Amino acid sequence: RYLLEQDFPGMRIGPEPTTDSFIAVMYGETEGNVPGNALVVDPKKPFRKLSRFGNAFLNRFMCSQLPNQVLKSISIIDSPGILSGEKQRISRGYDFCQVLQWFAERVDRIILLFDAHKLDISDEFSEAIKSFRGQDDKIRVVLNKADQVDTQQLMRVYGALMWSLGKVIDTPEVLRVYIGSFWAHPLRNTENRRLFEAEAQDLFRDIQSLPQKAAVRKLNDLIKRARLAKVHAYIISYLKKEMPSVFGKENKKKELINRLPEIYIQLQREYHISAGDFPEVKKMQELLENCDFTKFHSLKPKLIETVDNMLANKIASLMNLIRQEESNMPTEMVHGGAFDGTMAGPFGHGYGEGAKEGADEDEWVVAKDKPAYDEIFYTLSPINGKISGISAKKEMVTSKLPNSVLGKIWKLADCDGDGMLDDEEFALAKHLIKIKLDGYELPGTLPSHLVPPSHRKPFQTAE
């Protein structure tokens, strides 16, 4: 709702868990709803394979279509709210985690949403997160309603969230968490306004980059599936080879299922396969229980060779084609809704801050602090109104900034490039040091509003 900036059909938002269905929010010329059973038989929609989850799921699945600019670039799958009790898990009527896994394998980004004042990860939420295993690179976490707590409480909430997630998500990397208040209402607590703005911008940038990377991600998924299919073929053909031709088939089947971890190790050594490419042992053992091993196919080396050739040669040329196509096409970005709110104007992120401060003012922004800078300047024994690089260095190093940064500041401040600084250039150098110490980035080239007044005409002519 926050991203689209408009209601969508079937939407219901409240403080209690409200969404009881999977809602695919997609672009459509007219606003309306398509129920799940009709959705899975529509050849133009990518949901046909969901029919295997049965009517209990399809009754809880729908597509909301509306003519929103944001949805021209991305589609959103809104999943049901998760409760902490045991009752909900029993009464769903379909395999919730299997459905989540199906979507997780096909989406570009998975966003886990937490409230700043309700952090518990229930059994079902824990199971849901575990169903995303293997898709860890797609997961992002949003800590919402962060304006309802003060800075000290927010720090504790963030720590508690990271601790809880660390117990559920088994990765050595730290998850990216975006903190903010993602709704269009006044902030209750404005202490962390700047933090919320920066975090929202980071999240927007992450979502906006998705259309550009969609083709590469699909190629990445293709490679992943090809590797898994190859390993699957090795496992199935091995089980087929080990089966007796006449007697004792059932006993041999049980023995092979129990020996599956050993078989994995044997196949790893024989075919030089990474352990990470094998399916999970427990899940594979459960699936094999219902299979007839005698109907499995033998290994076809020619097919394996074809897959290897594709992975080694064809994929590289395909990647080059994608890059060429991307360079020839305009950069695809997500537009509309909340994404347009911070693009331009005085409320854009960073406007009037750091090096951009004073951009729309007539007076030179450094002038207000220049009297204080002048006092320091005249203690450095200027000759003919200028101080040498050595004198400037003595003063500039007191900021404790590294030489690489001070060198860049010197290059920006020495407008006429004579290796010395006059009072205005020195004041500019001090201003740039202040910008850096306040945590902002330095500009690559000196913006016109920061050029000292006495250097403006010659500086612009030289340009």
Side-chain angles (χ1 to χ4, degrees):
R1 172 66 181 79
Y2 174 72
L3 296 176
L4 300 179
E5 290 190 340
Q6 75 174 94
D7 291 355
F8 53 87
M11 183 192 90
R12 198 161 67 86
I13 296 172
E16 79 283 12
T18 49
T19 313
D20 62 346
S21 305
F22 280 88
I23 303 176
V25 189
M26 304 177 82
Y27 184 82
E29 293 300 330
T30 54
E31 200 170 304
N33 266 341
V34 183
N37 282 291
L39 204 54
V40 294
V41 294
D42 186 349
K44 292 178 183 174
K45 295 277 190 293
F47 302 121
R48 300 188 80 170
K49 293 281 173 72
L50 283 167
S51 56
R52 68 184 170 96
F53 294 108
N55 272 333
F57 165 70
L58 296 177
N59 291 336
R60 291 266 173 252
F61 179 46
M62 60 186 275
C63 176
S64 282
Q65 292 185 316
L66 65 158
N68 186 293
Q69 183 75 19
V70 174
L71 299 172
K72 282 187 173 180
S73 310
I74 55 171
S75 295
I76 301 166
I77 309 293
D78 183 19
S79 63
I82 295 175
L83 293 176
S84 346
E86 184 70 22
K87 181 181 176 293
Q88 190 188 10
R89 192 162 58 181
I90 294 164
S91 62
R92 280 203 196 270
Y94 60 91
D95 194 328
F96 181 61
C97 289
Q98 284 284 314
V99 174
L100 282 179
Q101 194 175 349
W102 189 91
F103 278 116
E105 285 167 1
R106 288 157 180 82
V107 297
D108 291 281
R109 186 65 75 238
I110 300 163
I111 295 177
L112 305 178
L113 206 61
F114 290 90
D115 282 5
H117 47 70
K118 195 175 76 66
L119 281 183
D120 63 315
I121 298 181
S122 64
D123 291 348
E124 190 178 35
F125 201 0
S126 179
E127 289 298 314
I129 293 171
K130 282 174 185 168
S131 69
F132 299 143
R133 192 164 283 150
Q135 315 292 336
D136 306 313
D137 57 319
K138 297 179 182 179
I139 296 175
R140 300 288 184 274
V141 178
V142 169
L143 180 58
N144 197 13
K145 304 182 186 175
D147 65 319
Q148 297 188 8
V149 292
D150 62 33
T151 307
Q152 187 183 18
Q153 289 170 326
L154 183 59
M155 186 181 71
R156 288 179 178 155
V157 165
Y158 179 77
L161 174 63
M162 297 309 282
W163 181 81
S164 302
L165 286 170
K167 292 170 72 178
V168 182
I169 299 174
D170 303 325
T171 57
E173 296 84 12
V174 177
L175 277 175
R176 177 66 171 97
V177 179
Y178 299 95
I179 303 166
S181 175
F182 295 94
W183 71 342
H185 290 255
L187 298 175
R188 289 198 187 174
N189 198 319
T190 55
E191 285 176 34
N192 298 303
R193 185 187 185 109
R194 249 186 81 187
L195 169 71
F196 299 161
E197 284 171 5
E199 291 286 281
Q201 284 301 315
D202 283 357
L203 179 61
F204 285 176
R205 271 196 293 271
D206 187 62
I207 295 171
Q208 282 183 310
S209 67
L210 293 177
Q212 290 171 264
K213 296 173 184 169
V216 175
R217 186 197 61 77
K218 283 173 187 166
L219 188 61
N220 188 48
D221 281 356
L222 172 71
I223 297 163
K224 201 190 286 184
R225 287 170 74 90
R227 287 164 70 101
L228 290 172
K230 201 172 105 175
V231 172
H232 194 74
Y234 285 134
I235 297 167
I236 296 303
S237 60
Y238 181 89
L239 296 173
K240 160 86 173 173
K241 192 174 71 179
E242 292 293 306
M243 286 298 283
S245 52
V246 187
F247 301 112
K249 289 179 183 177
E250 272 307 306
N251 289 337
K252 189 64 179 175
K253 177 182 168 179
K254 283 176 187 169
E255 184 205 319
L256 287 169
I257 289 172
N258 291 332
R259 276 186 50 227
L260 199 61
E262 295 167 39
I263 294 167
Y264 276 15
I265 294 164
Q266 193 178 327
L267 292 173
Q268 277 177 51
R269 288 179 186 149
E270 193 176 336
Y271 296 107
H272 310 290
I273 307 166
S274 163
D277 285 351
F278 282 84
E280 199 183 329
V281 174
K282 210 170 183 182
K283 192 178 175 187
M284 193 67 174
Q285 285 172 326
E286 285 170 16
L287 292 168
L288 288 171
E289 290 282 353
N290 306 315
C291 296
D292 182 355
F293 287 13
T294 54
K295 290 183 179 173
F296 287 168
H297 291 281
S298 301
L299 192 68
K300 294 174 182 167
K302 202 158 190 182
L303 286 178
I304 297 286
E305 204 179 299
T306 308
V307 173
D308 285 339
N309 178 42
M310 179 199 75
L311 292 172
N313 305 314
K314 301 282 171 65
I315 292 292
S317 56
L318 205 54
M319 193 73 193
N320 286 334
L321 284 172
I322 289 171
R323 285 203 184 109
Q324 281 171 21
E325 196 173 292
E326 281 176 353
S327 61
N328 294 335
M329 287 170 69
T331 306
E332 197 180 344
M333 295 283 273
V334 181
H335 292 289
F339 296 98
D340 286 351
T342 52
M343 294 294 178
F347 297 100
H349 180 59
Y351 189 93
E353 297 173 5
K356 295 174 187 172
E357 188 188 351
D360 51 3
E361 292 173 18
D362 294 331
E363 193 184 350
W364 188 39
V365 70
V366 185
K368 62 179 186 293
D369 295 317
K370 192 170 180 290
Y373 298 148
D374 282 349
E375 282 182 30
I376 302 167
F377 179 77
Y378 289 111
T379 63
L380 298 171
S381 312
I383 299 164
N384 298 329
K386 292 193 173 191
I387 56 167
S388 65
I390 294 167
S391 302
K393 182 182 177 181
K394 279 178 189 168
E395 172 55 33
M396 287 169 76
V397 294
T398 60
S399 66
K400 296 183 181 175
L401 287 170
N403 282 356
S404 56
V405 174
L406 292 174
K408 190 175 181 185
I409 289 170
W410 174 271
K411 198 175 170 186
L412 292 168
D414 186 13
C415 298
D416 51 16
D418 64 352
M420 301 178 87
L421 301 181
D422 61 25
D423 60 326
E424 286 186 346
E425 289 173 325
F426 178 77
L428 174 60
K430 292 292 283 181
H431 180 73
L432 292 170
I433 287 171
K434 182 174 174 285
I435 286 170
K436 191 65 187 170
L437 291 175
D438 286 346
Y440 298 101
E441 288 303 314
L442 292 171
T445 54
L446 195 65
S448 56
H449 70 277
L450 285 182
V451 178
S454 64
H455 290 266
R456 280 187 186 178
K457 278 183 184 170
F459 186 74
Q460 284 160 359
T461 312
E463 263 197 336

